[in-house]
Every structure is written in C-alpha cells, then in structure tokens.
C-alpha cells in the first residue's frame, strides 16, 4: 500500500513467488495487521460485538472489521487468546491500582 516494493524490484517477492505463495504472505500480513489494530484478546468479550462496533472502536475499514469479526468468532476461544487476555487484565488492573508493572 505504501509502495515500498514498487521502487526496488529486487525486494519485490511478487517476481520470485507464485501467485499462491504470494497470497499466503498477503494473508499473513492481513492477520498481523488485524491483531495489531484490533486484538482478539481485547475484543472477544465485548457484549453485542459486531463488525460495525469493531469498525468504530478500532478505526478500521468495513472490510477489515468483517475480517476481524470472523476471526474472533473462529479463533477467540483458543487458549492463546485466553492467556493473553489474562495477562492484559493483570497488567492493566495493576496499573489501575497504581502498582508498578514488573
């Protein structure tokens, strides 16, 4: 989107990968961006969560909010998100009580 790969052909993986291989990288990039902008561990327990609510809360596009919503419904129950959710609660709860985070 920012054009980084348009200026320097030697860094553009599109010339060395098949379409299918490139799409795997695109999906990985989408997943990374999704977790960065709208972490499943933070959103999964919001009541009446919807793509529109995700779009408003996280300032993402309509298309991205649907992708994120689908991921929450599909993967939100996994232990890794539960573990991260507990860690976030511990850290932020400690901050709200004025305790130092170690």
């Amino acid at each position: 989107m920012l054009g980084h790969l348009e200026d320097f052909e030697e860094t553009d993986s599109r010339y060395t990968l098949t379409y299918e291989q490139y799409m795997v990288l695109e999906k990985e990039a989408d997943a990374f961006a999704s977790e960065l902008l709208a972490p499943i561990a933070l959103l999964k327990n919001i009541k009446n969560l919807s793509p529109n609510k995700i779009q408003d809360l996280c300032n993402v596009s309509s298309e991205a909010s649907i992708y994120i919503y689908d991921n929450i419904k599909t993967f939100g129950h996994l232990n890794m998100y539960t573990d991260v959710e507990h860690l976030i609660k511990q850290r932020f709860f400690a901050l709200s009580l004025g305790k130092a985070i170690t």
Side-chain angles (χ1 to χ4, degrees):
M1 180 170 187
L2 297 175
H4 294 155
L5 299 179
E6 294 172 9
D7 295 332
F8 305 99
E9 280 187 25
E10 51 278 346
T11 61
D12 192 346
S13 60
R14 291 177 289 182
Y15 295 114
T16 59
L17 299 176
T18 65
Y19 175 78
E20 290 79 16
Q21 291 170 323
Y22 183 74
M23 290 312 297
V24 168
L25 295 178
E26 282 294 309
K27 287 181 182 180
E28 289 176 354
D30 288 345
F32 175 81
S34 173
E35 272 301 298
L36 181 66
L37 298 172
I40 289 175
L42 292 177
L43 297 174
K44 70 180 195 150
N45 294 317
I46 294 176
K47 292 182 182 183
N48 302 316
L49 188 65
S50 67
N52 286 339
K53 190 175 259 190
I54 293 169
Q55 186 175 3
D56 291 341
L57 289 171
C58 301
N59 198 26
V60 296
S61 69
S62 175
E63 181 182 356
S65 69
I66 293 167
Y67 175 83
I68 294 161
Y69 181 78
D70 289 343
N71 280 344
I72 291 169
K73 294 300 177 193
T74 303
F75 304 114
H77 69 283
L78 297 178
N79 285 340
M80 68 179 176
Y81 293 111
T82 302
D83 294 344
V84 171
E85 176 188 6
H86 291 307
L87 179 62
I88 290 168
K89 285 179 180 177
Q90 287 174 345
R91 297 290 170 107
F92 282 96
F93 184 69
L95 279 176
S96 69
L97 295 176
K99 296 180 181 177
I101 297 175
T102 57

